Amino acid sequence: MPRPILATIHTEALRHNLARLRQAAPDARVWGVVKADAYGHGIERAYEGLRGADGFALLDLSEAQRVRDLGWRGPILLLEGVFETRDLELCSRLGLWHTVHCDEQIDMLAVHKTHAPHRVFLKMNSGMNRLGFAPHALRTAWARLNALPQVDEISLMTHFSDADTGRGIAHQVRAFAQATQDLPGERSLGNSAAMLRFGDDPAVRADWVRPGIALYGSSPDAPAHEAGHWDLAPTLTLSTRLIGVQQLQAGDTVGYGSTFAAEGPLRVGIAACGYADGYPRHCPTGTPVLVDGVRTRTLGRVSMDMIAVDLAPVPEAGFGSEVTLWGRSARGAVLSIDEVAQAAGTVGYELMCAVGVARVPKVAG
Ligand SMILES: Cc1ncc(COP(=O)(O)O)c(C=O)c1O
């Protein structure tokens, strides 16, 4: 028997979240961002729920190949563009669109031999200072691209650094609008947080939006707002079962380091999930968890393969009871990944990706 831990990917919830994001930018075309193996969900499993998108945006050429292998004939965008000249051959072969964010990528395009010119997204650095041309360098880059026979249509893009926080997007929208004002081409600005928080801004709604995290049912501006506030449904449930029960007396402790001590008699369940399953080791005592759909809390330190949970609110629970680390329990109760992320001092993005690369079996359901 395998360990009872499982990640269930909810196809219907992916569809729902995509529809919800379309409402936020009704005239825009939607890139479903599926980098990092669809934020840990697995591209093949997420595809069924996200195939209603207008295109898929990702980083790795191997992931682009997997999307094509699924039968997707529509647009695919490489969000970081190419890393070396020969990547352009695969772009030609798979018909990939790619971001151009630096002069080196234009140099590579200039020596690339192709019969079919490429569609590119020229990226401007509007303040995040990660990738992209500075505003003063954008025009020269555009002119260089425009002069290349290897290049077909040029679109313009930028990425927000603070769409999820108080600083917002206005300063970057302004910088982008000024630098691009008389350049032709489609625009792409909005990520999840910008779409949900600033969807009224015409710049965010323009041409192509690029939601990632909200597609996967995690709130882009947690903890300010939770997923329910944005009408997003959880797309990944991490569940397991109790594989042991302990009866503690006052003063008894739980787990490595004895960081939790019982104040009185307490039933404790041992769940088959630990940090080797992608559950964050930093979750302290009190992190929410569902047992048989009832909300309770973790106790003590998370170990590699197990975690202890308080059974006081679920006295009928015992060996084999369902434990939902986050997502939707069999009885329908929901625990948001964002609550667990907050307890661990991180964000839903990191938790999903960690489960994605962990040993947990994943199924669509
Ligand atoms: C360039 C770019 N566009 C869009 C996204 C999607 O962002 P989010 O998951 O916050 O919606 C990302 C993710 O970081 C990104 O790097």
Side-chain angles (χ1 to χ4, degrees), residues 37-74:
D37 205 10
Y39 288 48
H41 290 58
I43 284 178
E44 287 75 11
R45 282 175 296 274
Y47 180 70
E48 196 50 40
L50 297 180
R51 62 193 300 172
D54 299 293
F56 290 102
L58 41 73
L59 308 185
D60 292 311
L61 286 115
S62 61
E63 292 190 342
Q65 176 77 65
R66 283 164 61 196
V67 175
R68 284 284 182 247
D69 289 346
L70 287 164
W72 178 255
R73 299 276 160 263

Side-chain angles (χ1 to χ4, degrees), residues 33 35 39 59 79 123 130 157-159 190-193 210-214 220 349:
V33 179
K35 65 191 175 121
Y39 288 48
L59 308 185
L79 285 170
K123 184 162 189 174
R130 203 170 60 172
M157 71 186 284
T158 196
H159 191 50
N191 58 357
S192 298
R210 307 189 307 271
I213 194 69
Y349 298 73

Side-chain angles (χ1 to χ4, degrees), residues 290-351:
L290 306 177
V291 175
D292 284 338
V294 176
R295 194 180 167 101
T296 179
R297 59 177 181 147
T298 65
L299 300 173
R301 265 195 205 146
V302 177
S303 52
M304 186 185 286
D305 316 299
M306 285 174 269
I307 186 165
V309 297
D310 182 348
L311 295 184
V314 242
E316 68 285 2
F319 183 91
S321 288
E322 179 202 48
V323 179
T324 308
L325 287 318
W326 63 72
R328 189 179 294 279
S329 76
R331 298 178 191 193
V334 169
L335 172 60
S336 167
I337 192 171
D338 299 325
E339 276 197 70
V340 181
Q342 199 193 346
T346 184
V347 285
Y349 298 73
E350 190 179 356
L351 268 53

Side-chain angles (χ1 to χ4, degrees), residues 6 24 79 103 138 145 158 177 179 213 217 246 288 293 349 360-361:
L6 194 63
L79 285 170
D103 282 316
L138 193 73
L145 283 173
T158 196
I213 194 69
Q246 299 292 342
Y349 298 73
V360 181

